[in-house]
């Protein structure tokens, strides 16, 4: 089955700096890669996703890149703000497996004002 | 609110009791997924439905767990003879195809 690894497990940045979280996946057939933000006690909230036919996607301060050859994808947050503090999860899925998500272990991001 | 809803939000039970959780998906979504999340970990897949058909169950889902989605609308997840190891957040997500939207979860505590 799919295995997703996520690094780092914790990330502390100064407000205004950039944050980068990296994930690797094992199943080359995976074709959908979402990122979720989860605040304490809240539901995972989809913040951006990318499909395997695209190498990069951007939405305001958030961008995701995908390298299918190396089987890794990354989340980039620019101009970080205190409200970006949360746990971020990457995930991978493939259509042939019902699109069930396999999640990474999460990255706790702390943005210091 | 037209998002995914779950009920109850919190459940405290004694070991050995049965519990049932409900998930109401976004109305036009034909896929519904159940995940379990323990503290500090990412959600783990349990099972999913396409309309009313349960298409896959994880090995994590012991025979004490059963899920249904009658009529392809809401879904229930039942845990029989609860154990302390069942304590977790149970998350439901619905999807029209690949993008999944999560509900607020049901936090289960087994004493």
């Amino acid at each position: 089955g799919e295995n997703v690894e996520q690094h780092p497990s914790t990330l502390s940045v100064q407000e205004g700096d950039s944050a980068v979280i990296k994930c690797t996946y094992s199943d080359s057939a995976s074709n959908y890669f979402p990122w979720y933000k989860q605040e304490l006690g809240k539901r995972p909230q989809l913040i951006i996703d990318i499909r395997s036919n695209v190498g990069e996607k951007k939405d305001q301060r958030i961008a995701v890149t995908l390298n299918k050859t190396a089987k890794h994808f990354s989340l980039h947050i620019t101009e970080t703000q205190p409200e970006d503090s949360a746990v971020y999860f990457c995930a991978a899925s493939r259509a042939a497996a019902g699109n069930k998500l396999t999640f990474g272990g999460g990255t706790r991001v702390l943005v210091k004002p | 609110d037209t998002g995914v809803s779950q009920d109850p939000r919190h459940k405290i039970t004694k070991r050995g009791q049965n519990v049932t959780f409900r998930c109401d998906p976004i109305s036009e979504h034909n896929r519904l997924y159940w995940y379990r999340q323990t503290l500090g970990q990412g959600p783990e897949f349990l099972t999913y439905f396409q309309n009313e058909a349960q298409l896959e169950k994880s090995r994590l889902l012991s025979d004490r767990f059963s899920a249904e989605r009658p009529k392809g609308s809401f879904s229930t997840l039942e845990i029989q003879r609860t154990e302390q190891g069942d304590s977790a957040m149970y998350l439901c997500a619905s999807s029209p195809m690949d993008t999944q939207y999560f509900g607020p979860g049901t936090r289960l505590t087994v004493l």
Side-chain angles (χ1 to χ4, degrees):
Chain A
E2 174 69 281
N3 183 49
V4 177
E5 295 193 358
Q6 182 171 347
H7 299 280
S9 57
T10 60
L11 182 59
S12 182
V13 297
Q14 208 66 38
E15 182 178 358
D17 287 350
S18 295
V20 180
I21 304 170
K22 299 183 179 182
C23 289
T24 60
Y25 61 99
S26 61
D27 186 352
S28 56
S30 288
N31 57 0
Y32 176 68
F33 307 91
W35 287 87
Y36 289 88
K37 175 184 180 182
Q38 188 174 32
E39 298 176 50
L40 193 61
K42 300 271 185 78
R43 74 184 75 195
Q45 181 185 7
L46 179 72
I47 55 171
I48 196 167
D49 57 11
I50 192 167
R51 293 174 177 82
S52 59
N53 58 346
V54 175
E56 185 174 354
K57 183 176 178 181
K58 193 171 182 180
D59 182 4
Q60 299 183 345
R61 297 185 298 109
I62 294 173
V64 58
T65 58
L66 171 65
N67 183 327
K68 286 189 294 183
T69 303
K71 290 190 284 187
H72 68 69
F73 55 114
S74 300
L75 178 72
H76 304 252
I77 306 173
T78 57
E79 300 171 21
T80 53
Q81 301 168 3
E83 52 265 37
D84 294 329
S85 296
V87 179
Y88 291 80
F89 291 99
C90 64
S93 72
R94 59 186 176 98
N99 291 113
K100 63 179 185 285
L101 294 171
T102 301
F103 284 84
T107 297
R108 182 172 300 278
V109 174
L110 176 63
V111 180
K112 294 181 287 187
Chain B
D1 185 356
T2 56
V4 180
S5 61
Q6 292 185 246
D7 185 71
R9 296 291 306 279
H10 303 274
K11 179 72 177 178
I12 299 174
T13 191
K14 292 182 180 178
R15 190 175 51 187
Q17 297 294 304
N18 299 343
V19 294
T20 300
F21 311 141
R22 176 179 170 128
C23 170
D24 285 273
I26 296 170
S27 59
E28 62 268 26
H29 289 181
N30 57 5
R31 287 188 175 177
L32 187 149
Y33 300 80
W34 285 98
Y35 294 85
R36 180 170 66 190
Q37 186 176 28
T38 53
L39 204 60
Q41 304 296 317
E44 293 177 295
F45 169 77
L46 294 178
T47 189
Y48 90 97
F49 294 83
Q50 171 114 4
N51 299 313
E52 66 274 13
Q54 186 173 19
L55 295 186
E56 186 174 346
K57 293 194 291 186
S58 163
R59 289 188 297 273
L60 292 174
L61 214 63
S62 77
D63 54 10
R64 295 186 297 105
F65 288 70
S66 62
E68 294 182 340
R69 192 183 182 197
K71 302 179 183 178
S73 56
F74 70 92
S75 176
T76 59
L77 178 68
E78 181 183 17
I79 309 174
Q80 296 183 327
R81 305 181 302 281
T82 52
E83 301 172 357
Q84 287 185 325
D86 297 331
S87 295
M89 175 75 85
Y90 290 83
L91 291 163
C92 171
S94 74
S95 171
M97 192 165 64
D98 53 12
T99 304
Q100 294 185 28
Y101 301 91
F102 282 85
T106 295
R107 181 167 296 284
L108 173 66
T109 301
V110 182
L111 302 176

